[in-house]
């Protein structure tokens, strides 16, 4: 992949924004805004993160591959549907899942698959399996266990493994995601790329 390829910086910036839109980040930003007299809550800030990240992804991919941008647009629609049906922090541990929430999780998981498919098409790799592995890890770590794609995975895991606290923990999914990204990027770009992925994921977990 050429670093100066059209739309690359924009689309990858969108990925970074979506990856950082965890509830903790949105809550902190809302609190900072209130200290300056700016009204807003977690849900409104979170929606802004998703909207900005999604726009950057689609716009960046449009400049590179319009079919990939079309796939990403479908992913964005599914992601927004998931947000609507299963809003951030709307599910409590041990709580009953409504039909709407289940549909929201399904939409979020389909969004993840579509996003991976769009990037896989837009950025062909000399080692397709490694690229797909890294992209899957990045998709898995989008959000946290109370929002976006990671929440859909966490709630599905909790439903399959009731009573197992690790099944829905952030650390579980972030660790798996870090391993996938490190393995994929390690094959593509060597130790340095793998190390950056692990450090970045650790930063998201411990700070954001």
């Amino acid at each position: 992949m050429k670093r100066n390829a059209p739309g690359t910086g924009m689309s990858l910036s969108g990925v970074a924004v979506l990856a950082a839109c965890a509830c903790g980040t949105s809550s902190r930003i809302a609190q900072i805004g209130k200290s300056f007299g700016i009204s807003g809550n977690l849900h409104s800030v979170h929606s802004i993160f998703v909207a900005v990240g999604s726009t950057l992804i689609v716009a960046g991919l449009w400049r590179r591959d319009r079919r990939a941008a079309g796939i990403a647009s479908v992913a964005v629609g599914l992601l927004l549907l998931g947000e609507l049906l299963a809003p951030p922090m709307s599910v409590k541990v041990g709580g009953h899942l409504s039909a709407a929430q289940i549909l929201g999780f399904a939409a979020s998981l389909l969004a993840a698959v579509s996003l991976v498919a769009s990037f896989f098409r837009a950025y062909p790799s000399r080692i397709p399996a490694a690229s797909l592995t890294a992209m899957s890890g990045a998709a898995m770590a989008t959000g946290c266990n109370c929002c976006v794609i990671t929440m859909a995975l966490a709630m599905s895991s909790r439903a399959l493994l009731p009573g197992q606290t690790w099944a829905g923990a952030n650390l579980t999914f972030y660790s798996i995601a870090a391993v996938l990204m490190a393995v994929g990027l390690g094959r593509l770009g060597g130790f340095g790329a793998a190390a950056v992925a692990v450090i970045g994921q650790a930063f998201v977990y411990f700070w954001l």
Side-chain angles (χ1 to χ4, degrees), residues 8-208:
T8 297
M10 188 181 295
S11 57
L12 294 183
S13 294
V15 172
V17 171
L18 280 185
C21 72
C23 296
T25 308
S26 300
S27 179
R28 290 190 185 96
I29 292 176
Q31 290 174 358
I32 293 173
K34 287 181 180 178
S35 67
F36 287 96
I38 302 173
S39 61
N41 55 33
L42 181 151
H43 296 290
S44 61
V45 175
H46 193 276
S47 298
I48 292 172
F49 263 98
V50 174
V52 171
S54 299
T55 300
L56 288 171
I57 288 174
V58 174
L61 291 179
W62 182 264
R63 296 182 61 190
R64 184 177 177 87
D65 185 312
R66 293 191 176 183
R67 288 189 178 180
I71 298 172
S73 297
V74 173
V76 168
L78 289 168
L79 199 63
L80 294 176
L81 178 61
E83 286 276 297
L84 178 65
L85 296 176
M89 300 186 74
S90 62
V91 181
K92 296 182 179 180
V93 177
H96 176 70
L97 296 178
S98 67
Q101 288 172 327
I102 294 173
L103 287 175
F105 298 148
S108 295
L109 294 177
L110 287 174
V113 173
S114 299
L115 281 173
V116 170
S118 66
F119 275 87
F120 190 72
R121 176 185 173 82
Y123 297 98
S125 169
R126 58 187 173 81
I127 311 177
S131 179
L132 188 60
T133 299
M135 291 177 182
S136 297
M140 178 180 289
T142 301
C144 63
N145 64 355
C146 54
C147 67
V148 202
I149 295 169
T150 309
M151 177 172 75
L153 289 169
M155 293 304 106
S156 299
S157 181
R158 283 175 179 169
L160 293 173
L161 298 169
Q164 302 296 321
T165 56
W166 59 267
N170 273 331
L171 182 59
T172 300
F173 292 97
Y174 283 0
S175 296
I176 296 173
V179 170
L180 290 174
M181 287 187 284
V183 170
L185 292 175
R187 292 187 63 193
L188 291 169
F191 176 79
V196 169
V198 173
I199 293 171
Q201 196 59 54
F203 175 78
V204 170
Y205 176 73
F206 289 107
W207 192 81
L208 296 182

